[in-house]
Amino acid sequence: MAADPPQRPLLMLDVDGPLNPFAARGPRRPRGYRTHRMLPPSYVARREAAGRRARPLRVRLNAAHGERLLGLGYELVWATTWAAEANEYIAPLLGLPRLPVVEWPEDLVPELDGLLFKTRHVVAWAAGRPFAWVDDALTAKERRFVSAHHPGPALLHHVDPRWGLREDDFATLARWAGRCAKEQ
Ligand SMILES: [Mg+2]
């Protein structure tokens, strides 16, 4: 019987920060990015629930990033507060197919011990599979939690929200996927 094909590591992808460099300084958008205005329904609902009018969100995306991400050797997964709306609003502009989504609880609150709310869900979703996690909010707490609760290899890769994903980030992610492939 043929051996199972090697399983690619997962790439848990945040939107705001790594793909949308929301903290970019200055009035000009970073090179390679286009500015989009979006009104995703869940955001409108949250604003309305708070008695506020929803103004379109400014989202800057680099259309080349989809192909770059697909070429890194991972299975891509959304791990973003955009949740399933990332497939409607973000994926088409990057040329990405619909991706699986890590879902968050409805009443999303930061965890009491200061751990990023996503962490437990990302670890549960990976279910022991090797994963890289790209997010602008990763700290030592998330690293400690992942090493204590995730039995497989994991790369927690912080991306600066002033810049979004850069060449160094793509290189680090590609190297790590390559190492995972060799260890299988
Ligand atoms: Mg973020």
Side-chain angles (χ1 to χ4, degrees), residues 14-18 22 118 135-137:
D14 182 25
V15 170
D16 293 314
F22 63 85
K118 293 178 179 176
D135 200 292
D136 60 305

Side-chain angles (χ1 to χ4, degrees), residues 13-181:
L13 261 179
D14 182 25
V15 170
D16 293 314
L19 294 173
N20 170 27
F22 63 85
R25 292 215 180 104
R28 298 190 53 170
R29 62 179 180 271
R31 258 178 64 186
Y33 284 80
R34 273 193 60 189
T35 302
H36 306 273
R37 306 274 167 188
M38 300 182 186
L39 270 173
S42 70
Y43 160 73
V44 175
R46 273 198 309 278
R47 296 287 293 181
E48 282 174 357
R52 293 184 154 148
R53 197 161 66 87
R55 294 215 181 89
L57 296 169
R58 185 185 72 183
V59 181
R60 288 165 162 167
L61 296 172
N62 185 328
H65 281 174
E67 206 181 329
R68 298 292 304 273
L69 289 164
L70 289 170
L72 289 173
Y74 292 86
E75 270 182 49
L76 307 181
V77 179
W78 291 122
T80 162
T81 50
W82 285 76
E85 286 172 337
N87 276 327
E88 312 299 330
Y89 288 83
I90 309 296
L93 295 169
L94 298 179
L96 288 171
R98 296 181 74 83
L99 302 176
V101 178
V102 182
E103 301 281 357
W104 323 114
E106 283 289 308
D107 51 345
L108 190 151
V109 279
E111 310 254 343
L112 288 178
D113 56 5
L115 186 73
L116 181 63
F117 69 88
K118 293 178 179 176
T119 315
R120 293 169 205 277
H121 304 286
V122 162
V123 167
W125 207 97
R129 277 182 69 177
F131 72 88
W133 180 10
V134 168
D135 200 292
D136 60 305
L138 298 172
T139 69
K141 285 194 172 165
E142 287 71 47
R143 292 176 209 287
R144 276 199 297 274
F145 184 91
V146 170
S147 32
H149 295 92
H150 176 68
L155 171 72
L156 271 61
H157 186 73
H158 177 266
V159 174
D160 190 325
R162 289 174 300 176
W163 299 105
L165 282 167
R166 294 193 284 181
E167 287 310 314
D168 279 1
D169 302 305
F170 286 114
T172 302
L173 290 165
R175 255 197 320 271
W176 197 79
R179 212 177 319 147
C180 283

